[in-house]
Amino acid sequence: MTAVPDVPRVLVLRALGLGDLLTGVPALRGVRRAFARHRIVLALPASLTEAALATGALDEILPAEAPDRAVPRLDHWPGPPPDVAIDLHGNGTESRDALAALAPRRLLAHAHRDPVTGRRPVWRRDDHERERWCRFLGAYGIPADSDDVRLPAPRAASAAPGAVVVHPGAQSAARRWPAPRFAEVAGRLRALGHRVVVTGGPSEDALVLDVAGRARLPGRDVLRGGLPFGALSALVARAALVISGDTGLAHLAVAHDTPSVTLFGPISPRLWGPPPGPRHRALWKPGPPGDPHGDTPDPQLLRIAADEVTDAARTLLRPGPAGRPAPDMRPRNGDEVRVPPARP
């Protein structure tokens, strides 16, 4: 990026993953409205540039990332200091200090007492992620609507319009439901007449092939290599249903109002789940919270059975193109829980 003379700039730090970006959209749009005459710059990984610009909430990005969700360096910021710097990355001193090092005229951060208000925002462990950052901005008098999550319809064509999208991957093993169970669900839905495609990230080809092979999907329905964001967004926007774990694709389904079934564990949907409503089903087995970045599947996630996922999918799907009868639309399993986000 380059500095634009005589245009004040706002730098927002949220250098995390796709799901973090999409849950931060309501806050980013609040920033956009509050600083309408400023140039809004978002610091995040360069791989998320297309997704970030699709939100319509910013003007450009500052490429920034660090391994393991750490705070990246920002010393490549060009030109004069930002007029305002906003920490949407976390509540610690490291992200605050990375922004403070740029000497902004005003800094908004959980770990910083604002000289204008004399206060700093309160961090609440039980806030839903979308509401957390809207509440944070509200402490500075900046309104933001936590329901403002929708993305515009993508222009690109879908690789599989009307298909069920099964996405078995996740950044950490703790949030990955077993491949054989995803394959079982995919096979059952295909037998009901629905087209099913499997997707994965750039490093998840082996997982995608495993699920597709077990489900006996044709080659055209195996989407390997990690789709570019534009193609992925079009696929999700025009899908009949998205089935995934608690990962970025689940948030993309919410952003496009595409029906979804999301498998939660070890973190409750009360903290990261979809908004309440009939188009999204969050499956969750209540229990003590675990490590969302752990290297083994979470025990609560493993308690979700393939039957439950299939039944949840059938409640959201119309009959397949083979013309089979419409499924029973009533939920069948009393263990399936849809927990709405926490409210203040």
Side-chain angles (χ1 to χ4, degrees), residues 78-174:
D83 191 63
V84 182
I86 303 176
D87 182 4
L88 299 184
H89 192 90
N91 67 336
T93 57
E94 290 186 12
S95 51
R96 176 203 65 189
D97 291 347
L99 290 168
L102 302 178
R105 293 179 60 186
R106 189 180 182 194
L107 174 61
L108 281 58
H110 271 103
H112 177 70
R113 191 177 300 278
D114 182 37
V116 175
T117 65
R119 303 184 304 273
R120 61 183 185 184
V122 176
W123 178 276
R124 300 182 182 180
R125 295 176 60 88
D126 61 347
D127 266 347
H128 190 285
E129 187 70 4
R130 289 187 301 273
E131 296 182 349
R132 177 190 309 287
W133 298 108
C134 293
R135 188 193 306 279
F136 165 78
L137 292 176
Y140 293 101
I142 299 173
D145 178 3
S146 62
D147 292 329
D148 188 8
V149 298
R150 294 290 299 277
L151 293 182
R155 296 179 179 178
S158 168
V164 175
V165 176
V166 172
H167 186 84
Q171 187 176 45
S172 68

Side-chain angles (χ1 to χ4, degrees), residues 19-40:
D20 304 278
L21 167 65
L22 295 176
T23 54
V25 165
L28 290 171
R29 287 179 173 155
V31 171
R32 170 80 281 172
R33 290 188 293 269
F35 298 98
R37 298 183 179 181
H38 289 63
R39 192 162 183 83
I40 309 298

Side-chain angles (χ1 to χ4, degrees), residues 258-310:
T258 298
S260 67
V261 176
T262 308
L263 288 63
F264 281 86
I267 300 300
S268 166
R270 184 172 60 85
L271 303 177
W272 281 88
R279 296 177 68 79
H280 305 289
R281 302 295 298 274
L283 305 188
W284 158 250
K285 301 295 184 179
D291 178 7
H293 309 295
D295 55 9
T296 58
D298 183 74
Q300 292 166 221
L301 179 64
L302 294 179
R303 289 171 56 201
I304 300 174
D307 285 347
E308 297 174 71
V309 180
T310 304

